[in-house]
Amino acid sequence: MATQMKTRDFECSDAEWQARQDLAACYRIFDHLGWGESIYNHISVAVPGEENVFLINPFGLLYDEVTASNLVKIDVEGNNVGPSQYMVNKAGFTQHAYFHEKLGTRANAICHVHTTATMAVCSHKDGLVPTNFYACNFQGQIGYHDFEGVTVRSEEGERLVQNLGDHSILMLRNHGPVVMDKTIQGMFVKMWALQRACEIQVATLSQGEANVISQEVVDVHQRDLSVMQSQGGAGVFDFEAWKRRVSKIDDSWKS
């Protein structure tokens, strides 16, 4: 039987409370880094030990207002199965629910953002090009999906998954990226590197013709990078460092 932990005015398992705190911290980190989009966009995480249930931000709150206790616990059918009285944004629910349901643990943590740099690259005909260190991380590891309008129709989900393939990043053309991973820490560090890759590409192309890195060098880069990443616990050190940073500013996300 799962251990129960009293959290303000509701009970949940220790594992769920940890997931809530990590997700709330992630929203605050995104806000601190300037990755928010008013009350829109989403980060979601699967609830440990529960099938087809995930946590997502309450619609109507800015990222710096999200806390562990006000996150919405929702199933893939759209039912609020937790204590939060908030609603969720249909665009976020539709897309995230399909990924959580169909992809299982490989999509335990998902984010979708509209940062200027990532949207700009999604809107470029060539997408992400190997013109910088960070962009080389992702070559051959990104899927692309043509723009079909706001993602509120469930029937688009099948095409989203098909275009994602076996990758963990899906660039929605003319829209923005979807980034996922088995852990919230891995998702965060992947999103951080993607943001840097896109920022640098936009800056590089503004100067004129870019120096494109050869596939041979990209292959060596990815091989060596995989060894280095294994030493960092797939983003654990990065995520914990940024949690410390936002906690110094405001630790209300923990509540």
Side-chain angles (χ1 to χ4, degrees):
M1 185 174 181
T3 302
Q4 296 296 310
M5 181 177 182
K6 184 66 178 176
T7 59
R8 298 189 73 176
D9 59 351
F10 70 97
E11 291 186 349
C12 68
S13 68
D14 290 350
E16 180 181 330
W17 185 243
Q18 183 63 58
R20 283 177 172 274
Q21 288 204 314
D22 285 341
L23 182 55
C26 196
Y27 274 103
R28 299 299 182 94
I29 294 167
F30 273 42
D31 179 74
H32 181 72
L33 291 171
W35 298 350
E37 185 83 348
S38 186
I39 61 172
Y40 306 102
N41 293 170
H42 316 279
I43 317 168
S44 64
V45 66
V47 176
E50 298 188 37
E51 187 175 357
N52 293 332
V53 177
F54 60 97
L55 301 167
I56 197 167
N57 53 318
F59 188 50
L61 297 188
L62 297 170
Y63 279 14
D64 68 355
E65 297 177 295
V66 174
T67 67
S69 58
N70 68 25
L71 287 162
V72 182
K73 184 177 181 180
I74 193 167
D75 67 20
V76 295
E77 301 299 325
N79 301 304
N80 186 334
V81 296
S84 179
Q85 298 304 304
Y86 287 95
M87 62 180 289
V88 299
N89 185 339
K90 185 177 181 182
F93 158 72
T94 302
Q95 180 189 97
H96 287 239
Y98 200 88
F99 286 131
H100 281 298
E101 179 181 15
K102 301 300 182 182
L103 300 180
T105 57
R106 63 181 280 214
N108 274 345
I110 307 170
C111 74
H112 171 58
V113 300
H114 284 179
T115 67
T116 300
T118 59
M119 288 189 76
V121 171
C122 284
S123 301
H124 191 276
K125 68 181 182 63
D126 295 326
L128 187 64
V129 181
T131 61
N132 66 75
F133 177 98
Y134 292 112
C136 288
N137 296 10
F138 302 109
Q139 293 308 301
Q141 301 179 18
I142 294 176
Y144 288 86
H145 176 76
D146 287 340
F147 186 59
E148 298 185 23
V150 63
T151 51
V152 294
R153 291 167 286 103
S154 58
E155 43 86 16
E156 187 180 0
E158 185 176 347
R159 293 187 292 280
L160 289 167
V161 169
Q162 181 178 2
N163 289 324
L164 174 68
D166 60 359
H167 305 308
S168 60
I169 297 175
L170 182 63
M171 300 291 260
L172 308 182
R173 293 191 184 278
N174 310 101
H175 189 172
V178 178
V179 180
M180 61 189 70
D181 196 81
K182 294 180 180 179
T183 68
I184 195 168
Q185 295 88 353
M187 178 275 293
F188 166 72
V189 75
K190 199 176 296 180
M191 175 60 217
W192 182 86
L194 179 65
Q195 173 69 17
R196 293 293 294 134
C198 292
E199 289 173 343
I200 297 165
Q201 176 168 314
V202 170
T204 300
L205 294 182
S206 72
Q207 303 175 96
E209 187 174 356
N211 180 38
V212 178
I213 299 165
S214 70
Q215 187 59 49
E216 181 182 6
V217 174
V218 169
D219 292 341
V220 172
H221 174 80
Q222 292 186 351
R223 179 199 68 196
D224 295 344
L225 187 65
S226 66
V227 175
M228 294 174 59
Q229 287 176 333
S230 65
Q231 300 171 358
V236 171
F237 295 158
D238 304 76
F239 191 67
E240 290 302 316
W242 283 105
K243 280 171 70 174
R244 293 192 299 273
R245 169 65 67 85
V246 296
S247 292
K248 291 175 183 176
I249 300 169
D250 177 7
D251 68 356
S252 63
W253 57 267
K254 299 177 180 179
S255 63

